[in-house]
Amino acid sequence: MHSKPFPCRFPPCNASYQRKEHRRRHEARHSRGQVFKCTTCDQQFGRSDTLRRHMRSMHGVEAPARIKFACTSCRNQKARCQGGSPCSNCLRRGLQCSLAQEDEDEGQQIGDLSGSTDSGPVAHPSPTHPKASRSEKERHYISLYFRLFHPYWRFIHQGSFKESAETPLLVQSMIVIGLWLSNEDNAQSRAIALHNVLSSAIHQQREIWDASESEAACSSCSWPIPTYQAILLHIIFAILYKDRGALGLDLRPALSAADAELLRRLVVSCKKLGMLYYPNMLARYCRNDLPSYVWVSIEEVKRFNIALYKVCTACSGKGCGQGVLDTTKASSRELRAQDLQFPLPKNTPLWNAVGRADWVSVATEEVHRHILDETLEHEWISKSAHVLEALDAA
């Protein structure tokens, strides 16, 4: 007896059919349990609404990016490509997906947000290895960032960082700092040139991230964490290179008017979006979310907030950019310890874990269970604000 010509493509199912449409109807039953994959960071979810929540909280977008091109295999078979790296069709069939290769290539092509420039941090690609040389340079500067800068400012999670999937603005902001610390010939001038390019991009994209003047901004809006991380790195670098050793009598660096205004907008945006309030952090997740993902996401927001507070405190004893801008805006510009309504970050060894073995060795029980209904108000930094502000004023 001859086998039917259209076997089910979901292993280990052995069903087969005489007609293609019958097989399609059968395979639809398998697809009901499909995995929804984030096209930015490759995390997988069992439900589409969980994926959308992840996209809003982690990547600041409302939905996964639409697939513009089908992979080679789906194109040849005239099948609808669902995207991913690899796509679900190739994964199901055990084929090598061209989208996976394109994903690798994308990490090698991250360029300046305003296009290529001779004064950028990386040399122009050679004719023989146009992508590999550029990718190696970028990875080198990112490695320097994590090795030399990250120990002092640990608000980006190294264990889940993937340069090919991150927001280009964040990657380039990290490259600026890695380049500045590289001690290579002309490295500092190239870092400043790229910093200036990013400054233009940040201001051009203000309508995307700036919630400081939006009447509709609230805690239920998306939190563009990677963009805010990039802006904070941008401000920190401005302090690094513009200070040039000129400090006030209080040994605090001064920001330029433009950078102080950028910092003010960042602070006000975080306040209006409710990012400094712990219950808002918890409310962005549900009990079906992966516990380790929830822990990392909340820790990342807490550590970003603390880094932002440190920058504000470093620039002025009374707030962000005090003395640089019109003092009538001082109250909206300040970020004080009493605004930090969340507990201190926990388990620094776990936050610093890069590989799975490191993670498993230091993971505690709180990482494996949901604590979304525990606001821990008695542990909030704001409860000790009077102590911190007294130390700062002493």
Side-chain angles (χ1 to χ4, degrees):
M1 183 177 178
H2 296 291
S3 62
K4 296 177 182 178
F6 297 103
C8 175
R9 293 167 292 187
F10 281 82
C13 182
N14 296 320
S16 61
Y17 299 88
Q18 291 285 359
R19 303 181 63 175
K20 197 172 185 178
E21 56 267 33
H22 294 168
R23 180 182 65 180
R24 187 184 304 116
R25 187 163 52 240
H26 164 81
E27 288 181 342
R29 299 192 201 124
H30 288 293
S31 300
R32 287 172 191 155
Q34 71 184 72
V35 171
F36 296 90
K37 190 172 185 179
C38 175
T39 56
T40 302
C41 66
D42 289 340
Q43 275 198 272
Q44 297 182 350
F45 304 89
R47 291 166 45 187
S48 59
D49 60 334
T50 306
L51 171 60
R52 287 194 298 273
R53 190 181 303 111
H54 161 81
M55 296 297 292
R56 284 196 302 269
S57 60
M58 291 298 290
H59 306 301
V61 296
E62 290 299 319
R66 292 184 178 181
I67 306 303
K68 297 181 179 178
F69 303 102
C71 73
T72 302
S73 176
C74 289
R75 205 159 48 237
N76 291 339
Q77 298 189 29
K78 297 182 179 180
R80 183 175 181 180
C81 186
Q82 299 298 323
S85 177
C87 78
S88 57
N89 290 337
C90 289
L91 188 64
R92 184 177 66 243
R93 299 167 187 159
L95 301 176
Q96 184 173 359
C97 183
S98 62
L99 293 180
Q101 181 61 44
E102 290 169 10
D103 186 59
E104 295 176 5
D105 293 344
E106 183 183 354
Q108 299 170 345
Q109 297 179 42
I110 298 174
D112 299 341
L113 293 181
S114 298
S116 60
T117 172
D118 290 337
S119 58
V122 257
H124 285 293
S126 65
T128 51
H129 301 288
K131 296 176 182 176
S133 60
R134 182 162 187 165
S135 177
E136 289 167 5
K137 276 289 188 180
E138 289 188 331
R139 285 197 293 265
H140 170 64
Y141 296 132
I142 291 172
S143 175
L144 288 178
Y145 170 92
F146 280 116
R147 181 159 58 88
L148 301 177
F149 180 83
H150 182 69
Y152 297 93
W153 298 89
R154 299 178 183 271
F155 60 88
I156 293 176
H157 188 239
Q158 185 177 4
S160 60
F161 180 83
K162 184 179 179 184
E163 64 267 18
S164 63
E166 299 293 341
T167 302
L169 184 64
L170 175 58
V171 175
Q172 294 291 356
S173 298
M174 296 168 66
I175 288 174
V176 166
I177 293 176
L179 181 60
W180 179 268
L181 300 173
S182 68
N183 292 323
E184 297 176 3
D185 292 341
N186 300 320
Q188 294 194 350
S189 61
R190 288 185 288 154
I192 293 172
L194 179 56
H195 172 80
N196 292 334
V197 171
L198 298 180
S199 181
S200 298
I202 289 171
H203 287 89
Q204 289 170 3
Q205 298 176 15
R206 256 185 53 191
E207 62 179 19
I208 298 176
W209 63 264
D210 187 2
S212 63
E213 297 179 356
S214 172
E215 296 181 359
C218 62
S219 61
S220 61
C221 296
S222 64
W223 293 0
I225 300 299
T227 299
Y228 284 1
Q229 290 172 330
I231 294 173
L232 185 57
L233 288 177
H234 185 79
I235 294 170
I236 292 173
F237 180 77
I239 296 172
L240 282 176
Y241 95 86
K242 288 184 178 178
D243 177 52
R244 298 170 185 162
L247 300 174
L249 294 179
D250 57 358
L251 301 183
R252 297 182 188 276
L255 284 172
S256 69
D259 290 328
E261 173 64 6
L262 182 63
L263 182 55
R264 183 192 72 82
R265 288 183 178 276
L266 181 59
V267 170
V268 176
S269 294
C270 291
K271 286 183 175 181
K272 295 189 75 170
L273 292 175
M275 286 175 52
L276 306 171
Y277 187 55
Y278 192 54
N280 289 342
M281 301 181 200
L282 300 177
R284 304 184 79 81
Y285 307 96
C286 65
R287 295 188 182 278
N288 293 330
D289 291 331
L290 188 67
S292 57
Y293 156 68
V294 174
W295 185 86
V296 168
S297 301
I298 292 177
E299 285 292 297
E300 193 164 42
V301 175
K302 290 196 294 185
R303 290 174 183 270
F304 168 81
N305 289 339
I306 289 176
L308 182 61
Y309 171 77
K310 288 169 60 179
V311 170
C312 290
T313 303
C315 291
S316 173
K318 294 184 179 180
C320 317
Q322 183 91 3
V324 177
L325 297 176
D326 183 355
T327 54
T328 59
K329 293 184 178 180
S331 60
S332 65
R333 179 163 67 244
E334 292 179 352
L335 181 59
R336 303 175 60 185
Q338 66 186 31
D339 297 318
L340 308 181
Q341 297 177 301
F342 54 88
L344 282 165
K346 296 182 178 179
N347 202 335
T348 297
L350 185 63
W351 176 258
N352 295 334
V354 177
R356 179 177 178 82
D358 293 340
W359 175 278
V360 172
S361 66
V362 292
T364 55
E365 175 60 27
E366 66 181 7
V367 182
H368 300 296
R369 64 185 179 89
H370 285 292
I371 52 173
L372 302 183
D373 55 351
E374 298 178 21
T375 60
L376 304 175
E377 188 170 353
H378 62 286
E379 298 181 18
W380 290 2
I381 299 171
S382 57
K383 298 298 180 180
S384 304
H386 63 288
V387 177
L388 295 174
E389 293 178 351
L391 289 173
D392 188 58

